[in-house]
Amino acid sequence: MENETSTGHVTRKTVLRAALAAGMAAPAVLMGVPALARTLTVGEAAPALTPECDDGDDPTPPQTEGPYFKPRSPQRTSLLEAGTVGVRLTVSGYVFGLACRPMAGVLLDFWQADVNGAYDNTGFRFRGHQFTDSRGAFALTTIVPGLYPGRTRHIHVKVQAPGRPVLTTQLYFPGEPRNNTDSIFDPRLLMAVRDAGGAREAAFDFVLNVPQDPGPSPTPTTPPPGGSWTAGTAYRAGDRVTYGGPGYVCLQAHTAQAGWEPPNVPALWRLS
């Protein structure tokens, strides 16, 4: 798992994202897990590791713009319009710099095909841009794009921090049959996707090639007495613990540490 080191400790980015998410409303916390995690289908090989946001690591990889980008898209967080057909999709996440610190005011310009795999080249259907908020978060409401001939399912995006170069890339869906035949597909750009009552929810974090001061580390807290959660224990996804009374279920494997108590890290634990 890309959010865990070889020693079983979750990366600094995971803890930072959990701390950010703890103070945010849906949909930014809708996944409950780090956005770079993936869902594998039966028989699907584990993809290459996504570049983690940890000092000195690689940023999110770029990809081709393709033939259908249009400048001057409208500023909006929802691409849905009256009569929009398709499965509703919410994509949320954060934009980080190289030191894992969230970046405010970053431009994200999205464009995609409609449910039939067609792009609007005369207007701006399924096109729009937005900016990350003060916590580096973004959220896009759209539909699951249709299949374009020769390609797997994908969403295009340009990401630009103020005064920095543009990152042009694409986001992909796990479990798509065409992922295995699309020559452009990159498993490092898979979103985490789940079904949500007839709709779908996805998440992805961008890491831009922007130098940053590392900033302060999360401040550990003192756990209250009682409960089965214990620092130093190697937990696996699905493990259940109690902490200060309530019960929690583990969302991803990690080795517990002081400061990562279940109430403090919703990326690792969910109330059961």
Side-chain angles (χ1 to χ4, degrees):
M1 181 172 291
E2 67 275 17
N3 292 295
E4 186 176 353
T5 67
S6 59
T7 60
H9 289 79
V10 174
T11 60
R12 183 170 181 265
K13 171 188 171 293
T14 302
V15 177
L16 286 172
R17 190 178 195 278
L20 289 166
M24 298 189 66
V29 297
L30 53 87
M31 296 306 297
V33 295
L36 295 180
R38 300 153 174 89
T39 301
L40 297 180
T41 58
V42 176
E44 183 179 1
L49 298 183
T50 300
E52 298 168 353
C53 179
D54 200 355
D55 297 355
D57 280 347
D58 294 332
T60 301
Q63 288 215 310
T64 178
E65 178 182 281
Y68 299 124
F69 172 71
K70 289 181 62 176
R72 296 181 292 278
S73 68
Q75 181 176 345
R76 54 186 178 180
T77 58
S78 176
L79 305 185
L80 302 182
E81 300 177 358
T84 295
V85 176
V87 176
R88 185 183 177 113
L89 171 71
T90 302
V91 182
S92 66
Y94 298 90
V95 178
F96 295 94
L98 293 178
C100 309
R101 299 184 65 186
M103 303 184 66
V106 174
L107 168 69
L108 299 103
D109 196 344
F110 295 95
W111 71 102
Q112 66 172 77
D114 64 16
V115 70
N116 297 313
Y119 288 84
D120 179 10
N121 297 316
T122 58
F124 289 94
R125 286 190 307 113
F126 299 111
R127 300 175 184 270
H129 73 272
Q130 61 180 278
F131 297 87
T132 56
D133 65 17
S134 60
R135 294 159 292 189
F138 71 91
L140 174 72
T141 303
T142 181
I143 63 166
V144 175
L147 289 170
Y148 176 78
R151 293 297 318 280
T152 191
R153 211 176 302 275
H154 61 282
I155 296 174
H156 294 270
V157 60
K158 288 180 178 287
V159 188
Q160 184 178 27
R164 304 296 301 187
V166 177
L167 166 68
T168 300
T169 193
Q170 302 179 38
L171 302 180
Y172 296 100
F173 295 77
E176 289 288 330
R178 291 192 185 182
N179 288 352
N180 297 322
T181 58
D182 189 331
S183 62
I184 301 176
F185 170 74
D186 188 333
R188 295 173 296 173
L189 295 168
L190 281 166
M191 297 182 289
V193 183
R194 74 175 184 182
D195 293 328
R200 304 192 79 185
E201 296 174 336
F204 189 86
D205 291 342
F206 296 92
V207 181
L208 297 183
N209 188 14
V210 176
Q212 294 177 308
D213 183 302
S217 297
T219 302
T221 59
T222 302
S228 61
W229 181 90
T230 306
T233 301
Y235 291 107
R236 295 186 177 185
D239 286 350
R240 293 179 179 274
V241 300
T242 56
Y243 181 83
Y248 296 86
V249 60
C250 181
L251 297 174
Q252 70 162 324
H254 68 285
T255 298
Q257 298 184 36
W260 293 3
E261 296 81 10
N264 297 335
V265 280
L268 304 180
W269 295 99
R270 183 184 68 236
L271 276 169
S272 61

